[in-house]
Amino acid sequence: MPESGRSQPSILALANHLIDWVMTAHPDPNVRTALSLPHIIPVPENDPQQNPPENPEGIKFISKKYTPENELEAVAKSVKNFVDSFAEFPDEEKPTIAVLVPRNQRGVEVVNELRKRGIEPIELISSTTETRAAAGSLNYLLSYLADPQSARKLSKAYEVWRRDVFGSTKNAGAERRSKLCPKCRSRAGRCGTASTH
């Protein structure tokens, strides 16, 4: 599913350039598989959530190094300024903003900082463990369906499908290795040593 309806064309082009750069020119060859095709494309014209119009000036690169606290304050201030710029608009015409964070705890910090500034966000970080596990499972399955030739994605999809055997996908690799026979490195008693299987 390479379509994205939340980003303007300049953001999509930048993201696609990052994919290409990582795959072909990243200085550390070990991370060149961290991103992969397909490129992100705008949604079709009949999609109800159309891409925003082109606005290259909306992309800002900030070379300043931030402490975590300064970054949090700068993001909250930027969101507040953006929200305030639409204060006179009717609610149905106000744009939405998404703040992506690397960890749930950072999301909680962003939410708290926004609330201090009078912004009541819709938070999607306080979902249940089961909801996050289901979303993660769907991610693995859809990733494989989008790229069926990927052995790595097939492996992850299989782990999700057989979670009853492997446990959580987070610990699946370690758990799977711990169930291997030390004699033959196989599973399920293939070598005949039942004591370890």
Side-chain angles (χ1 to χ4, degrees), residues 30 42 54 93 102 107 121 151 176:
N30 296 314
E54 178 80 40
E93 292 181 22
R176 196 170 51 242

Side-chain angles (χ1 to χ4, degrees), residues 68-69 71-73 75-77 79-80 83 97-127:
E69 296 78 21
E71 178 190 49
L72 186 63
E73 185 177 329
V75 168
K77 181 180 177 184
V79 169
K80 173 74 170 149
V83 167
I97 302 170
V99 178
L100 305 178
V101 295
R103 297 173 313 283
N104 280 352
Q105 180 55 41
R106 189 60 166 175
V108 169
E109 293 165 0
V110 170
V111 164
N112 290 339
E113 191 66 30
L114 291 174
R115 285 186 176 141
K116 284 183 201 172
R117 295 170 185 268
I119 298 170
E120 191 53 45
I122 299 169
E123 45 178 310
L124 303 175
I125 55 174
S126 59
S127 56

Side-chain angles (χ1 to χ4, degrees), residues 78-94:
S78 177
V79 169
K80 173 74 170 149
N81 289 341
F82 187 77
V83 167
D84 287 350
S85 72
F86 288 93
E88 302 301 318
F89 284 65
D91 284 346
E92 61 275 3
E93 292 181 22
K94 291 179 181 177

Side-chain angles (χ1 to χ4, degrees), residues 121-141:
I122 299 169
E123 45 178 310
L124 303 175
I125 55 174
S126 59
S127 56
T128 65
T129 302
E130 293 80 14
T131 301
R132 286 192 300 274
S137 297
L138 286 172
N139 176 55
Y140 286 130
L141 294 170

